[in-house]
Amino acid sequence: MGSLPLDASSRRPLNPEAFAGESRSVVDFLAEYYRDVGKYPVRAADLEPGLLRKLLPDAAPELGEPLEDVLEDVRRDILPGLTHWQSPSFFAYFPMNASAAGFAGEMLSAGLNVVPFVWAASPAAAELEGVVMDWMGRLLGLPQRLLFSGGGGGVLQGSTCEAVVCTLAAARDRALARLGHAAIMKLVVYASDQTHVTFQKGARLVGIPPSNFRVVPTSAASGYGLAADAVRAAVDRDVARGLVPLYLCATVGTTGLGAVDPVRELGEEARRHGMWLHVDAAYAGSAAICPEFQGYLDGAELADSVSMNPHKWFLTNSDCCCLWVASPRALTSALSTDPEYLKNVGTDGTGNPAAIDYKDWQISLSRRFRAIKLWVVLRRYGAVGLRAHIRRHVAAAKWFERTVAADERFEVVAPRKFSLVCFRLRASFAGDADDVNRELLAAVNASGRAFMTHFVVDGKFVIRLAVGGAMTEMQHVMDVWELLQDKAEEVLQRYRLEALNLQFRGS
Amino acid sequence: MGSLPLDASSRRPLNPEAFAGESRSVVDFLAEYYRDVGKYPVRAADLEPGLLRKLLPDAAPELGEPLEDVLEDVRRDILPGLTHWQSPSFFAYFPMNASAAGFAGEMLSAGLNVVPFVWAASPAAAELEGVVMDWMGRLLGLPQRLLFSGGGGGVLQGSTCEAVVCTLAAARDRALARLGHAAIMKLVVYASDQTHVTFQKGARLVGIPPSNFRVVPTSAASGYGLAADAVRAAVDRDVARGLVPLYLCATVGTTGLGAVDPVRELGEEARRHGMWLHVDAAYAGSAAICPEFQGYLDGAELADSVSMNPHKWFLTNSDCCCLWVASPRALTSALSTDPEYLKNVGTDGTGNPAAIDYKDWQISLSRRFRAIKLWVVLRRYGAVGLRAHIRRHVAAAKWFERTVAADERFEVVAPRKFSLVCFRLRASFAGDADDVNRELLAAVNASGRAFMTHFVVDGKFVIRLAVGGAMTEMQHVMDVWELLQDKAEEVLQRYRLEALNLQFRGS
């Protein structure tokens, strides 16, 4: 940048030389960030709410400012207030991993800045999406009927929630076409107590009465998976009351514990009642590119739709959610619009299935060229590289699980299936186990050396270690285990002292 | 790139040196693209549906491939099949303009790859969003009550449709809390025949019966704006039938013609019936940073929500939609979720309004750090630079409108307000005017030298010229006028010859 005066830069905002110069400055800034990211506190622990607002002016500047100044402000004001999702010691929530290839794809998407909402608006972009969705589906071992090549098809959306809203609307409109709109009061959606809250939000968004959302309990006995007979019991109760079973969600890799619902059994249950079955594999779907994990998707041929998020654990920068459907028509019946200003001038209008108008496959009209991002990731790393990436994290999580289990102070709360380990300090050591674990987690996060989040299952406070950062190596997992032990000793020591004090005062 | 072997690149997908090298290659690729974009046919006219699928393999590669190969494939297989939205001669739909600053912001967003869905998940990212939304609101002259500083607030979403779904859900749930869920059958949404189809789609998505969506006609007499008395008549009819007026949409800059609805009058009408008023300024909202256009938003203090898209005409790469609401609580009441795994560990949990959980302001849980992109655009160009950018396009559109109006072969169909001109060849010259204009548009687009789209109003086929590309200068608008005249002569000549032939054969 720099070389063009400010006025000229807003006058010619895509001047190629200025563009290249400024963009290289940002690349260097980000390379430096990746070099240093391990040094930042992983979670911005000490930021006082409202602090940034105090640092920044009340209004946008009147005159443009040099990029260097902007980047300096990012360094000084923004970075210290971020929680660093790309830190190798970020183990919270689920990963949102970035990569050089994901970034390259994102740059191409943002730089070309085309809008493949109708086919004619950028044919190659729409077609690449179809190709990439079939590639991904094959890598995951999805049944042919969910791929374009088998009569189904796929679309890239921004998030699971968008995908869920679209499939709920499709299921709803399929039912209401038969029953009349007033029957919306009778439609029932089924999920487990481990299902992501997105389904509850989505069902409410599409107008299903909140009281018609069934949360079926799970238990340790089924590994916190949703038992088909529990669904059947709930459905039978509803049918007896004159309600209409609409939609069932099966999760492969739940958010809390990484649990897996039995897709085939739930699919058979859904078929029995004409329900839409959605398989949510947002996080664990990435693992299904490895044959050893594909078994968890067994039964997917009974699904009406399947979704997974390459932006979680698949080296694809945010955002990117794959949604496959068995019946594109069911989706587009609920979502299509055909205003005059979007009629495909220049195409034959015969509805060639290769000329997809993706606006009819999603909530929004406009959309980004996400396909090129996922395509670059797949091309750059290849199936072999991506499988190795998944297996490295699974191996690290396995090591962590084994190590925690071998330490008598700790317990593993739910069996690990992928790269998420749920564990806690045992109750017997000191004080209330939930308090102890809450303090342990707070101490670890306050150290800035790692960031983990928690879950509550069967009333127990559980610590989650989700391995999946692009820079996370075995060493970082070993380091966090050291950190956990140190902090556990501190917390336990404090509880022991308190207990002694109480004893002393009591004596 | 290049320096690291493939295996190592997937093993260390964020290696800073490899990242920098690869990213620079993509920057150079894009700079070359911007240099050459004027040479591509603007619309990919000749791509046969399904062509790209034939060019690409059926499955993702097993082994990773070098970035150079991927970029070469983009150049050879993808670029020729794109419609080039960044071409200076792209005048179709509405613009989706990119800029060096928008791209820099997008790189920061994608590179940092944080997820500000709850405040603790990246405090500075959530707070920057609040700051930038207030900055934007002030630039547009929005009333204080829509800003955080005045008790309202704003959020960055991906598209107008998302914003519409969220506000419709908020309005719906506010009404249903009072009336009970079964009253969803009685809720009515009002829009004009010029309102974007997104509202119809959105209303259907949130479960409003499709038969309860009122399309109120407009006419040339009101400049295709929605007349408040026409709304009142429609509302009165519905109320008399026992229905409940829910939501009214006012558009500032409609998609077809750039028409403007009278916000204040519609706001008063909405207040009278307790309806939610949404102001959709997706395209023309950008112009409101210039005082001479702020009058179109007069009455916005009566709105419950206002939206506009910086990704259209504000030099902000896709995607970016600003949504302001007067009552954040109305929004979050419909959209909030509070699962255990998202409780803000480390914050005080007292619901500090500065610590916004933006997941409760939108459809999706996860979200991108869009605020940094809009912030970089505002910082780099400043209000002065952005106003100049808008005014350049408006001046070019003015010139085009004047020139078309001065040519007796053509007519301007609706008065231009912003940078969109709607025009056509007059009916009197030859043949059916719709056929002639359809052929003219097809000939212009087939030339590859410009891309425009059409609209139909009062049964008339109209050509739209939407000026707004980042690289579009006056010269490109003058060139497209030359092109239009040439093609018009060709088409008219053909019609005249046909008429002569008919006469000859008839004689």
Side-chain angles (χ1 to χ4, degrees), chain B residues 278-292:
Chain B
H278 181 80
V279 178
D280 169 17
Y283 150 68
S286 293
I289 62 166
C290 306
E292 65 269 31

Side-chain angles (χ1 to χ4, degrees), chain B residues 208-231:
Chain B
I208 311 287
S211 56
N212 288 8
F213 190 87
R214 301 283 170 263
V215 177
V216 181
T218 63
S219 70
S222 65
Y224 303 100
L226 177 54
D229 53 1
V231 172

